[in-house]
Amino acid sequence: MISFSARHTPLSGIKTDVVALFIPQDKKLLKDQMVILEQLSPGITDAVASSAFHGKNKDTLTLFPARTPFRRVVLIGLGVPGELTPETLRRAAAACVKVVNGLKSKSLAILQPAMKHITPESSANALAEGILLSSYRFDKYLTVDKERQTLRTVNFICAQQAGVSEAGKGLHLAEIACAGTNLARDLANAPANEIYPESLTRRAQAAGRHSGFTVKVLNENRIRSLGMGGLTGVSLGSNRPPRFNIMEYGPRRSKVPTVVLVGKGVTFDSGGISIKPAAGMGEMKMDMSGAAAVIGTMAVAAQLGLPVHLIGLVPATENMLGGSAMKPGDIITHLNGKTSEVDNTDAEGRLILADALSYATRYKPDLVIDLATLTGACVVALGSVASGMMGTAQERMDQLKAAGERTFERVWQLPLFEEYEQQIKSDVADVKNVGGRWAGAITAGLFLKKFIGDYPWIHLDIAGPAIMEEEREYTPKGGSGVGVRLLVDFLRHWKDN
Ligand code: BES
Ligand code: ZN
Ligand code: ZN
């Protein structure tokens, strides 16, 4: 746990191991920032001037000033001032954390960067996000060689008293949103012998108790008797029973929008009878990343008290092989009565989402957003840089795209042109669960569209960004927790026209 505070105090009175300055690539700005330090440690400006540090993006410089109350000063470059965004700060903060941990330091004081178009709230928020997200490790199963992270407290030093409460707000928001993201990461990274449908339910219940949302659970019999043929069918090959989780937060029947989030909760995807190749199959423990994002978002929304009636639906199952497993050619009847032909048991996500999207109708929602690690095709199209976005609610999609730019959990829209529909036509059922080689992310989206109710809908295929194959600036390898900050930002900026 890293704790944060904001204050306006002279640097000379601060007890900290490290002082960090975030500096744009600009000689004058560098000099301005150094003025306070120069007073405490005369000659330090010259030391910087004669170094190779010019504030270039990703540059860092560690100084060991004499006779100051702090042992180290770290300068972190931000690059060209005109190109500065909150994302620059997240990445720079992550670089700073690396240096601080390298110095084995516990406490850090950050001087508020002087920036024209970024408010103290926003800069404090972005820096705290970079710190909290980059400090995450999934190391609970490591009994030896645990990487030691020393950073514990961060003090955000504001240039003016007036900025303190604003900065404090930014820090508070970052703490809650990043806790939600890191919860989603924990759920995704946990192996399938830890997270299976029943234990995922327990984790959602624990999050609900902690954050303030309710969890109602439908068991195997209820799922079957209600007619959720997709969730039932996919679960047949597994010894572990499925669960349908219904999370709810917020005021009913008051003047706030009702938003339903649906998350794919396949706790392990072997492919079923249409089995996947062995190489990389272990990654499919993260096939519940959509569910993880929904649980994380519920937690954040409840903790922030967002003015929204939020429902989270998580159909959870394993996709396994066995004597009673679903077979290619099987025909399933979904909750809304429509039938689908299972041409490939590895296209299981859409089968369980179909039931959940039908279930969502009963809430008469203003918007339904589903998140799913749905197709490898979407990873081929967009890599891990952006999630595929499809849907029927263009204005909401534009707003979600804007939230994606702000949070840097970016989304990119793909078309649901009706021409693609013929690829999922079936001779024997209303729809077929695979659409051939081309436009696989889109035919998956069109499959889902057949099961939506009379509500605006957005589908996010997060298969790429949810699973980090390599570490990024503030995203360690593994589950990224993508979706939580995106949805929270989107809901915070919700507006009705
Ligand atoms: N869970 C996978 C999709 C996936 C692939 C997620 C890679 C994350 C990384 C999904 O259930 C799946 O297997 N989809 C198939 C669909 C195909 C059979 C039409 C795929 O993408 O290959
Ligand atoms: Zn699959
Ligand atoms: Zn899957």
Side-chain angles (χ1 to χ4, degrees):
M1 271 290 280
I2 300 175
S3 68
F4 288 83
S5 63
R7 62 191 69 173
H8 169 71
T9 27
L11 202 50
S12 55
I14 286 171
K15 269 208 171 138
T16 185
D17 295 335
V18 181
V19 170
L21 281 84
F22 291 85
I23 296 175
Q25 191 173 357
D26 180 293
K27 279 204 182 103
K28 185 175 173 309
L29 290 174
L30 171 62
K31 230 178 170 177
D32 290 354
Q33 291 263 302
M34 293 300 294
V35 168
I36 326 166
L37 276 179
E38 181 70 25
Q39 289 165 0
L40 291 175
S41 180
I44 197 165
T45 312
D46 288 341
V48 173
S50 61
S51 79
F53 180 88
H54 304 295
K56 268 208 301 217
N57 203 351
K58 297 198 170 97
D59 274 6
T60 62
L61 177 68
T62 307
L63 299 160
F64 303 77
R67 291 181 301 279
T68 52
F70 34 88
R71 301 199 322 261
R72 310 279 185 264
V73 172
V74 177
L75 308 187
I76 303 103
L78 295 175
V80 185
E83 293 168 9
L84 253 168
T85 65
E87 178 64 6
T88 321
L89 293 177
R90 284 183 205 107
R91 295 179 183 190
C96 177
V97 169
K98 267 199 179 145
V99 176
V100 170
N101 283 325
L103 293 166
K104 298 192 167 48
S105 299
K106 287 197 185 109
S107 53
L108 170 67
I110 296 177
L111 295 195
Q112 180 193 341
M115 287 177 306
K116 284 201 196 94
H117 5 269
I118 304 181
T119 61
E121 172 169 353
S122 172
S123 70
N125 179 258
L127 289 166
E129 284 192 341
I131 291 168
L132 288 166
L133 295 174
S134 69
S135 299
Y136 172 85
R137 294 290 180 276
F138 182 72
D139 59 5
K140 69 177 196 184
Y141 288 105
L142 288 177
T143 64
V144 289
D145 295 338
K146 228 187 240 231
E147 180 189 350
R148 194 156 296 146
Q149 297 204 81
T150 51
L151 180 60
R152 286 287 167 272
T153 58
V154 178
N155 233 312
F156 191 80
I157 313 294
C158 295
Q160 259 119 38
Q161 182 62 39
V164 173
S165 77
E166 253 199 84
K169 269 188 225 160
L171 297 176
H172 178 69
L173 177 60
E175 286 184 276
I176 293 178
C178 294
T181 301
N182 288 339
L183 165 64
R185 289 173 171 183
D186 272 342
L187 295 173
N189 286 325
N193 59 347
E194 177 187 330
I195 293 287
Y196 41 91
E198 292 158 291
S199 62
L200 185 64
T201 290
R202 288 195 287 272
R203 299 284 278 266
Q205 287 166 328
R209 277 193 300 275
H210 179 254
S211 303
F213 61 86
T214 63
V215 187
K216 203 180 129 190
V217 189
L218 309 185
N219 68 15
E220 203 177 5
N221 290 334
R222 221 37 211 119
I223 290 165
R224 188 178 304 120
S225 63
L226 270 176
M228 294 186 169
L231 183 53
T232 300
V234 174
S235 75
L236 290 176
S238 171
N239 292 336
R240 299 198 185 275
R243 289 288 182 265
F244 190 84
N245 305 288
I246 302 157
M247 296 167 274
E248 191 162 0
Y249 148 76
R252 280 170 203 250
R253 280 189 294 276
S254 64
K255 268 198 166 159
V256 297
T258 296
V259 176
V260 178
L261 305 175
V262 176
K264 171 177 172 181
V266 173
T267 57
F268 187 75
D269 182 9
S270 71
I273 298 296
S274 315
I275 192 169
K276 285 180 181 298
M281 198 199 275
E283 271 190 4
M284 286 299 116
K285 70 177 184 178
M286 290 184 265
D287 210 19
M288 33 54 71
S289 295
V294 170
I295 295 167
T297 304
M298 294 296 307
V300 178
Q303 284 186 49
L304 291 176
L306 292 187
V308 55
H309 175 206
L310 197 62
I311 291 120
L313 302 178
V314 168
T317 178
E318 288 187 333
N319 186 24
M320 297 293 286
L321 316 76
S324 42
M326 188 172 66
K327 304 163 197 71
D330 282 4
I331 297 173
I332 278 172
T333 303
H334 293 277
L335 183 62
N336 67 351
K338 286 194 185 173
T339 58
S340 64
E341 176 191 0
V342 181
D343 201 22
N344 187 318
T345 63
D346 196 12
E348 84 296 341
R350 62 198 77 182
L351 299 176
I352 70 171
L353 292 173
D355 291 329
L357 289 170
S358 305
Y359 193 87
T361 309
R362 69 179 61 199
Y363 297 98
K364 299 189 172 46
D366 295 290
L367 181 65
V368 175
I369 306 178
D370 75 74
L371 296 94
T373 46
L374 203 61
T375 67
C378 201
V379 190
V380 172
L382 300 171
S384 60
V385 173
S387 297
M389 174 170 72
M390 290 149 257
T392 60
Q394 191 57 52
E395 265 186 52
R396 293 293 174 208
M397 286 196 280
D398 294 341
Q399 290 168 8
L400 194 60
K401 183 164 185 292
E405 304 299 328
R406 288 192 292 267
T407 55
F408 226 69
E409 293 195 343
R410 289 173 297 177
V411 301
W412 198 257
Q413 190 173 350
L414 302 175
L416 290 178
F417 295 141
E418 70 159 73
E419 282 83 348
Y420 297 109
E421 262 188 57
Q422 51 99 355
Q423 290 177 235
I424 50 170
K425 281 226 162 83
S426 165
D427 296 332
V428 291
D430 298 337
V431 64
K432 191 170 67 170
N433 82 328
V434 290
R437 195 165 141 83
W438 310 121
I442 293 171
T443 51
L446 281 170
F447 179 96
L448 297 180
K449 191 171 170 224
K450 300 234 177 253
F451 294 90
I452 63 174
D454 183 21
Y455 53 65
W457 162 72
I458 302 177
H459 161 55
L460 291 177
D461 192 332
I462 60 171
I467 303 170
M468 284 296 137
E469 286 176 359
E470 291 305 330
E471 149 187 23
R472 288 263 174 87
E473 282 87 351
Y474 53 85
T475 313
K477 205 169 147 173
S480 69
V482 74
V484 177
R485 289 189 306 114
L486 172 73
L487 292 173
V488 169
D489 184 275
F490 171 77
L491 293 171
R492 284 180 59 234
H493 290 87
W494 181 278
K495 53 177 177 291
D496 287 305
N497 316 302

